[in-house]
Amino acid sequence: MSLGKLVYGIVILSILSLFAWLMLQQRAEKSFIYPDFGVPVPENFTLLGIDVSHYQGEINWTQVSQMSYAQDSISFAYIKVSEGLTVTDDLYEKNCDGAEANQIKFGLYHFFRFENSAREQALRFASYCLEVNDSLLPVVDVEIHQKKKSALVDSVRLFLDVVEQKTKRRPMIYTSEKFFQDYFEKSLLMHEKFWIANFNRECNVLELPNVLVWQFSESATVNGIGHPVDMNVAKPEFYNQ
């Protein structure tokens, strides 16, 4: 093969590769734009938000902030930062920067592991909270129980106390409605602030004044995010906490 034909072949191959890449980018971009949120949004709530982690992949926060459907738009986000004593979400910094750059109120959450020290988890989470310019209450995600009720409550209370001591803000507790009713509702933590998950189109404990946020879906579609997203509504007073 002559040198001229080789160069010609390389040029053609490069052009075809570039064309294929552009097509893939265009297809990916289109796949991240949705006609609506994909789930029924509860009425009579003015605050709509999402919670994300590395499971959602890299997020285009500009598209998130610009999405609006039926006068609803994303006004807040919770971002996973840590789990137990060893796991750090590898996209939390990008998510924090993206939310802040697009003026979306955001907060951090920690996934609690009962096999690890509550105090050590709290100190670790608090250190992350002190590094970012978050505007929402920190959150501890409690959904896997490995202890009897009294021990579970003691561990979570210690976590809340330590984080509050370090950050001057007492975390809100995220949990399912059933977990709340089984472990927290009639415990020493019953008056803490709660974020409740219930995907059955109703939240029976939402009437409680200390239940501030309702996670009503785990399969919403949001512009700029290529995977299903948890979606939440919050009471107006949530921003004043």
Side-chain angles (χ1 to χ4, degrees):
M1 179 183 293
S2 68
L3 181 60
K5 288 183 178 180
L6 179 61
V7 172
Y8 178 78
I10 292 174
V11 170
I12 293 298
L13 182 61
S14 298
I15 292 174
L16 290 175
S17 297
L18 178 60
F19 179 76
W21 181 82
L22 290 172
M23 291 296 292
L24 286 173
Q25 288 296 107
Q26 185 179 28
R27 186 178 301 172
E29 185 75 10
K30 286 182 179 178
S31 70
F32 294 175
I33 301 296
Y34 309 98
D36 55 39
F37 293 118
V39 293
V41 178
E43 298 179 355
N44 303 319
F45 289 92
T46 57
L47 304 181
L48 186 66
I50 57 177
D51 54 280
V52 299
S53 70
H54 67 279
Y55 289 113
Q56 276 70 47
E58 292 203 20
I59 295 173
N60 185 325
W61 284 95
T62 299
Q63 290 183 358
V64 172
S65 68
Q66 292 174 348
M67 185 177 189
S68 179
Y69 177 75
Q71 298 182 331
D72 274 328
S73 57
I74 305 300
S75 61
F76 71 90
Y78 267 102
I79 296 167
K80 182 179 181 180
V81 62
S82 53
E83 178 175 334
L85 288 175
T86 59
V87 177
T88 299
D89 194 288
D90 55 10
L91 287 177
Y92 95 89
E93 289 182 307
K94 284 187 176 181
N95 284 331
C96 291
D97 291 343
E100 183 175 14
N102 287 278
Q103 299 181 323
I104 296 176
K105 293 179 182 293
F106 73 95
L108 302 181
Y109 78 88
H110 171 84
F111 190 95
F112 194 88
R113 290 286 184 183
F114 285 102
E115 64 268 29
N116 298 141
S117 161
R119 181 180 297 277
E120 292 302 315
Q121 288 185 79
L123 290 171
R124 183 169 184 258
F125 179 53
S127 68
Y128 286 118
C129 292
L130 292 171
E131 291 177 353
V132 300
N133 189 31
D134 55 331
S135 54
L136 301 179
L137 289 175
V139 166
V140 57
D141 180 338
V142 183
E143 52 185 286
I144 299 178
H145 58 87
Q146 295 178 325
K147 294 185 176 185
K148 63 181 182 180
K149 179 177 178 179
S150 59
L152 181 149
V153 168
D154 287 344
S155 292
V156 175
R157 183 168 62 166
L158 176 59
F159 182 96
L160 301 179
D161 290 344
V162 172
V163 174
E164 182 179 26
Q165 179 185 18
K166 295 297 181 180
T167 68
K168 310 307 178 187
R169 293 188 298 174
R170 193 166 182 83
M172 179 169 59
I173 301 171
Y174 166 91
T175 193
S176 70
E177 184 166 357
K178 187 177 188 311
F179 201 108
F180 171 80
Q181 293 170 330
D182 290 345
Y183 289 92
F184 294 129
E185 190 170 25
K186 296 180 181 179
S187 75
L188 293 174
L189 298 177
M190 64 183 296
H191 297 300
E192 299 291 342
K193 297 178 177 67
F194 282 93
W195 168 11
I196 298 296
N198 187 324
F199 307 140
N200 296 320
R201 298 194 178 185
E202 62 180 359
C203 182
N204 298 308
V205 299
L206 197 59
E207 61 186 29
L208 297 176
N210 56 319
V211 174
L212 300 175
V213 184
W214 171 22
Q215 185 184 80
F216 64 88
S217 176
E218 58 182 347
S219 57
T221 52
V222 176
N223 287 358
I225 305 179
H227 298 275
V229 188
D230 296 333
M231 186 162 281
N232 312 267
V233 288
K235 296 177 178 178
E237 59 267 30
F238 172 57
Y239 281 174
N240 300 323
Q241 302 302 311

